Amino acid sequence: MASLASKVSLLPKDTGSLSRGVPPARTGTLFVMGSNGGMSVAPDADFAVLFGRNEPDVHVCVGVGDTCVSRRQGVISHTYARWVLTNTGKLPIRFPGSRLVLSGDHVELAAGYTPLFIVSPRQEHLLEVRIAASAQPPGPGADAGQAAREAYEEDTHDRDARELSAEERLVLVCLGRRYLRNDPQPQPLTWAQVAFELGELRPAERWGPSRAAHIVSKVRTRLSREEGVPGLVEEEVPQPVGNALNHNLITDLLVTTTLTKADLALLDDDTDCPAQAQAQPAPEGSR
């Protein structure tokens, strides 16, 4: 039987971006690259890769010098023939696009190249992951992958937690509960759903769809004008608007850690239970 040393190894210092490909390896081998180097792990090594900002505590460093990044931000482990990412830190981890893995959540990684981004308040830190699908050399798209990586690496943001009133926070947590529960393809709740849930939660208060919509609209307008957050007003998104304005708002609040999973306690929400069986009304606009 092969030793652990033959199944887990450090990558050469001159490896470069994993988007360009990796050395020949068994199908399912995991490659992880951070700011100070990387490593490879065979799928049967029974070895979990820890990553974060504190080099003595992790196998792969990311976000070195940024105290917003956790010492142990996350772990990638092999479970039931799949590599699974678990966010053990405070900050969210972003997949390409807008999907966020929040603190305490886990998600299966797909074969091939996946750039992950630790979303710190003022900068996104790149963690490259590649799972070998075959031993073939990289194809003609490798240069494009490198260009995309460099674009992401330079993509920094000046973000801070947004100020919300207690009422605004309550409504926004309800509106974005599917995001906070890490649904695979989350959408904002409709105004009718928000009003129903808040009415059930606080029966002494008068909650209706228009009240919830008015509160959220004020937040979007304020963050657009005072903080310069893009995509929160109709003039900045293509038609049909649909849920785009609320989706953009919730994403910003998650990325800036204005909203976190702990806020679900405002709804007395059990994040381990399935979504409520209530019939889902058709999506409505964000106006």
Side-chain angles (χ1 to χ4, degrees):
M1 180 180 296
S3 65
L4 179 63
S6 67
K7 297 181 179 182
V8 179
S9 60
L10 297 177
L11 297 178
K13 293 295 185 181
D14 60 351
T15 298
S17 171
L18 298 183
S19 67
R20 295 182 174 180
V22 293
R26 289 176 49 191
T27 298
T29 296
L30 172 72
F31 294 82
V32 185
M33 177 72 73
S35 54
N36 290 350
M39 66 189 308
S40 65
V41 182
D44 60 347
D46 192 23
F47 184 92
V49 178
L50 301 173
F51 61 90
R53 68 174 169 87
N54 198 37
E55 190 162 8
D57 294 337
V58 297
H59 304 111
V60 177
C61 284
V62 60
V64 177
D66 186 344
T67 56
C68 292
V69 178
S70 297
R71 295 174 182 271
R72 293 190 177 188
Q73 179 64 46
V75 59
I76 302 175
S77 57
H78 200 257
T79 305
Y80 299 110
R82 297 289 187 271
W83 287 106
V84 176
L85 166 74
T86 302
N87 186 348
T88 59
K90 177 182 178 181
L91 297 176
I93 300 174
R94 181 172 68 81
F95 275 65
S98 60
R99 183 181 183 185
L100 298 175
V101 180
L102 305 182
S103 178
D105 288 335
H106 56 83
V107 64
E108 181 181 315
L109 295 169
Y113 177 69
T114 304
L116 302 174
F117 305 91
I118 315 302
V119 187
S120 184
R122 288 181 171 80
Q123 183 177 1
E124 293 189 352
H125 301 281
L126 175 66
L127 180 74
E128 294 186 90
V129 174
R130 190 174 191 121
I131 299 173
S134 70
Q136 297 178 352
D143 289 342
Q146 172 66 2
R149 173 191 180 275
E150 292 173 350
Y152 278 123
E153 205 166 25
E154 294 173 359
D155 182 24
T156 59
H157 308 272
D158 185 14
R159 300 187 181 111
D160 293 303
R162 314 303 184 191
E163 293 186 6
L164 299 175
S165 68
E167 182 181 62
E168 290 170 345
R169 182 175 297 276
L170 176 65
V171 175
L172 287 164
V173 169
C174 189
L175 181 72
R177 66 178 299 175
R178 292 173 181 157
Y179 296 76
L180 291 165
R181 289 165 57 104
N182 199 37
D183 285 5
Q185 295 181 325
Q187 288 290 323
L189 267 63
T190 64
W191 301 128
Q193 289 173 312
V194 171
F196 173 82
E197 292 200 11
L198 294 182
E200 290 284 298
L201 181 66
R202 299 187 177 186
E205 301 177 11
R206 301 184 63 179
W207 283 100
S210 60
R211 178 182 176 185
H214 178 68
I215 291 171
V216 173
S217 177
K218 286 177 61 179
V219 175
R220 289 200 311 258
T221 300
R222 184 175 75 243
L223 294 185
S224 175
R225 292 178 178 174
E226 298 179 6
E227 304 289 344
V229 180
L232 301 186
V233 294
E234 291 191 20
E235 295 78 12
E236 297 178 349
V237 299
Q239 296 291 334
V241 174
N243 282 326
L245 301 181
N246 284 342
H247 172 80
N248 294 341
L249 172 63
I250 295 168
T251 299
D252 176 81
L253 297 178
L254 292 173
V255 166
T256 58
T257 65
T258 303
L259 298 183
T260 68
K261 292 177 72 68
D263 287 311
L264 286 169
L266 296 174
L267 307 177
D268 295 327
D269 187 63
D270 181 357
T271 58
D272 293 328
C273 70
Q276 63 184 26
Q278 174 188 341
Q280 303 293 328
E284 65 182 38
S286 298
R287 297 184 180 90

